[in-house]
Amino acid sequence: VLLNLTKCDIHKLDEAPATEVVMTRDEGLQYYRTMQTMRRMELKADQLYKQKIIRGFCHLYDGQEACAVGIEAAINLTDHLITAYRAHGYTLTRGGTVREIMAELTGRRGGIAKGKGGSMHMYSKNFYGGNGIVGAQVPLGAGVALACKYFGNNELCVSLYGDGAANQGQIFETYNMAALWKLPAIFICENNRYGMGTSVERAAASTDYYKRGDFIPGLRVDGMDILCVREATRFAAEHCRSGKGPILMELQTYRYHGHSMSDPGVSYRTREEIQEVRGKSDPISLLKDRMLSNNMASVEELKEIDVSVRKEIEDAAQFATTDPEPPLEDLCNHIFYNDPPLEVRGTNPWTKLKSVS
Amino acid sequence: MGDSSGSVLTAALLCFFAMDEELERDERVFLLGEEVAQYDGAYKVSRGLWKKYGDKRIIDTPITEMGFTGIAVGAAMAGLRPICEFMTFNFSMQAIDQVINSAAKTYYMSAGLQSVPIVFRGPNGASAGVAAQHSQCFAAWYGHCPGLKVVSPWNAEDAKGLLKSAIRDDNPVVFLENELMYGVPFEMSEESQSKDFTIPIGKAKVERQGTHVTMVTHSRYVSHCLDAAAVLAKEGIECEVINLRTIRPLDVDCIETSVMKTNHLVTVEGGWPQFGVGAEICARVMEGPAFNYLDAPATRVTGVDIPMPYAKILEDNSLPQIKDIIFSVKKTLNV
């Protein structure tokens, strides 16, 4: 079906992403299913955290699903992606299963990082995490892009960061080098309006994040509309692969939860605001309405997907709560790669532990 | 918010009181950091300060450690007395150049012309389930550098008295709090409730007298050592527990006096073993009169030499537990 999208704001570009796009029924159903899976997975994580089965930090992605799913729809699994700590959604789109993600959150041996990483440190092929230090993932992503160019493999790297991170110095250093060396890097700012408890107006002298790359061309995109995200990413990927160098995308999006599970999320924004976004701009509802009004799917069909997703999440949660914790023998493993086994000091001089690669 | 004249209070509250009292006492003191103002502090330590003192003195910064730390140091050079908060000391690594090269070394480099009266404070060390990038202890890293004072409070009194001293000190002080201690209630002594209650930097405190072994520790592990000492006492082993309070300068006299009495030394810390606080204590004891009084090699009890894992069973086994301390004491005493 041919659909019309809102136009993106552009910076230092002569063209913009397509506004008349085609979405097939299969595509629509797949996007719906993935976003719904992501949504339900995050809500389940909320539940498990409140039951103290998930501990430490837990930064949930509900509200932002269109970003992760839209981006992946426009790139290949052979491309590369890196993000910060609000990473469960990307772990899913990059090939992780709900089971492995949830078991990582609950710290079990079946977790995608064997229980050693936790919420902020999930990895998979061509997915470089899951990074806890704000901003640090951006130079890393440009480094991956450098490797792509070096190997000449026509791959690119998507580096994501938030509105809070957007002010980090290392990001500007990265912009400079990526542009200088024409790296195939897509920098994406997921602007959800708040860096922890600080609104964008209180943190940034310029909130036009898509222009902050200055000499790097930029796009500002409706991050709640999965097709806008997809088209913008397609445009950006084409730009990179044609050797033009980096490009920047700002996705305007929103998180329903607070910054993390320790943040109720209502001391710096109103419940009315959250409700309004949920009511008018929910990414899953937007897609659903679009599919229904264009006769691309029936209400029953989508309900069936919902039921199936709910079951998948329940099964995963069951696994995540019953899988055993990692064995103690695992404690010191994975210090070094490709090295002979080494001895690791325990808590006292008489305790010598073993580490294998 | 009230005053500190209740008798059972938490360490977080005492950090708050210290800052509140010092902000009131000296107009040049101000606080900056992420979420310190309108959010009331990521761990609520600065709750109420922004309401009381406003934008000029309680400043929310963007998430840009290198930048705002540099700004804080510059402000200190120009005569203000900033308290620069790191949400956790893990994030201070982004700014460590400013702490070491701009703050610590400047008074020396300028031959006494330019002082830097600044306090860097925030939670240090492991928390619960926050994984590898958020659990590191920086006591040894900062303790390594001349020009810095490094303080590590244990209980609520330490928190208040030492933070006030740190703010009043004309030099750069790294103040290592502990997230897990923030909520722990302690009874406050009468004198600690005064607005002029300070604890001198550079002096350790003997928290428990003993005759068989000297335990030297800091921060949260003081609690662990006292608990271990209580268990060991039932077996007739009397431990002397020293709360370092300050990492740099180290109160070597206090340690030596104790070791010369007990003849045995066990250090306990959460940080990694290599080049750590315990390693320094052992080296200093070797270099001084107490060495000849040792009946056994000193023992270091430390975190396991690995990045912090997430899973609970692994995390629990990555840090010294009370049973590890008891085990180490007995091995040291050969019992």
Side-chain angles (χ1 to χ4, degrees), chain A residues 53-57 85 103-108 114-121 123 130-136 164-165 167-170 195-198 202-204 259 262-264 267-268 325-333 335 344-351 353, chain B residues 34-35 37-39 41-44 50 55 60-66 87-88 90-91 93-94 127-134 179 273-274 298-321 324-325 327-329 331-332:
Chain A
I53 299 172
I54 297 176
R55 21 187 316 267
F57 293 135
Y85 45 74
E104 187 59 35
L105 291 175
T106 56
R108 308 301 165 99
K114 302 189 163 86
K116 294 171 85 167
S119 167
M120 298 180 289
H121 308 296
Y123 299 81
N131 291 275
I133 305 302
V134 171
N167 303 308
Q168 278 263 322
Q170 56 189 322
M196 193 161 158
T198 304
R202 292 206 306 123
H259 163 75
S262 319
D263 169 32
S267 66
Y268 49 86
E325 284 192 286
L328 276 179
E329 295 75 60
D330 236 18
L331 181 69
C332 299
N333 291 340
I335 301 287
V344 171
R345 189 195 203 269
T347 59
N348 60 69
W350 299 279
T351 304
L353 304 167
Chain B
E34 294 156 9
E35 310 295 355
Q38 295 188 22
Y39 194 80
Y43 299 100
K44 305 303 172 210
W50 176 67
D55 284 336
D60 272 338
T61 63
I63 310 173
T64 52
E65 276 77 1
M66 180 74 122
M87 195 182 281
T88 78
N90 300 284
F91 312 149
M93 283 200 285
Q94 286 207 338
S127 175
V130 295
Q133 292 179 336
H134 289 79
E179 197 213 320
Q274 208 159 326
T299 298
R300 297 177 296 158
V301 179
T302 68
V304 177
D305 200 16
I306 54 175
M308 184 65 71
Y310 167 67
K312 186 167 199 310
I313 193 175
L314 297 183
E315 185 178 50
D316 288 346
N317 283 281
S318 301
L319 293 164
Q321 299 180 43
D324 298 318
I325 300 171
F327 171 79
S328 299
V329 166
K331 286 287 265 193
T332 308

Side-chain angles (χ1 to χ4, degrees), chain A residues 251-309:
Chain A
L251 301 179
Q252 294 184 302
T253 183
Y254 200 82
R255 53 164 164 82
Y256 296 142
H257 269 82
H259 163 75
S260 72
M261 288 302 296
S262 319
D263 169 32
V266 287
S267 66
Y268 49 86
R269 55 185 190 171
T270 63
R271 282 180 215 273
E272 288 73 48
E273 180 187 278
I274 306 171
Q275 280 310 104
E276 189 179 353
V277 176
R278 239 192 240 278
K280 295 199 182 130
S281 318
D282 182 274
I284 300 175
S285 301
L286 286 181
L287 177 64
K288 179 174 176 182
D289 292 344
R290 188 176 259 153
M291 290 188 72
L292 291 176
S293 60
N294 284 286
N295 292 313
M296 296 179 79
S298 68
V299 171
E300 291 74 37
E301 236 182 322
L302 295 181
K303 263 211 173 69
E304 263 173 41
I305 295 180
D306 289 349
V307 168
S308 156
V309 164

Side-chain angles (χ1 to χ4, degrees), chain B residues 67-278:
Chain B
F68 72 67
T69 305
I71 284 176
V73 175
M77 288 177 176
L80 292 176
R81 302 186 73 92
I83 304 169
C84 176
E85 177 177 303
F86 292 120
M87 195 182 281
T88 78
F89 266 94
N90 300 284
F91 312 149
S92 75
M93 283 200 285
Q94 286 207 338
I96 203 164
D97 174 70
Q98 297 287 13
V99 178
I100 307 302
N101 277 328
S102 302
K105 297 179 185 171
T106 295
Y107 192 65
Y108 180 89
M109 294 189 291
S110 66
L113 207 64
Q114 178 66 71
S115 68
V116 186
I118 187 169
V119 175
F120 302 102
R121 52 159 290 273
N124 175 58
S127 175
V130 295
Q133 292 179 336
H134 289 79
S135 305
Q136 194 170 327
C137 175
F138 288 86
W141 280 40
Y142 289 115
H144 188 61
C145 300
L148 279 185
K149 298 190 184 182
V150 181
V151 176
S152 183
W154 164 55
N155 62 8
E157 271 196 36
D158 282 359
K160 182 181 180 196
L162 288 167
L163 186 51
K164 284 166 79 75
S165 292
I167 294 168
R168 295 184 191 190
D169 200 304
D170 292 327
N171 296 288
V173 181
V174 169
F175 193 82
L176 304 169
E177 297 160 15
N178 186 289
E179 197 213 320
L180 295 173
M181 295 305 289
Y182 277 151
V184 180
F186 289 94
E187 260 196 57
M188 303 295 297
S189 68
E190 186 68 49
E191 61 152 351
S192 70
Q193 289 165 32
S194 144
K195 283 193 174 171
D196 278 306
F197 170 71
T198 57
I199 292 176
I201 292 176
K203 287 264 159 279
K205 180 174 180 216
V206 178
E207 299 287 350
R208 184 188 195 280
Q209 303 261 11
T211 46
H212 298 123
V213 59
T214 299
M215 280 197 217
V216 183
T217 182
H218 72 104
S219 187
R220 185 161 168 252
Y221 293 91
V222 176
S223 300
H224 284 53
C225 286
L226 290 172
D227 287 349
V231 174
L232 288 162
K234 299 203 187 110
E235 299 181 44
I237 299 171
E238 293 298 332
C239 304
E240 182 142 292
V241 177
I242 297 179
N243 170 9
L244 280 173
R245 287 179 157 176
T246 302
I247 304 293
R248 184 178 184 112
L250 209 54
D251 188 351
V252 184
D253 282 344
C254 179
I255 299 171
E256 285 176 331
T257 305
S258 177
V259 172
M260 293 197 285
K261 180 174 74 168
T262 68
N263 312 119
H264 296 89
L265 173 61
V266 175
T267 68
V268 182
E269 68 198 287
W272 293 318
Q274 208 159 326
F275 307 103
V277 173

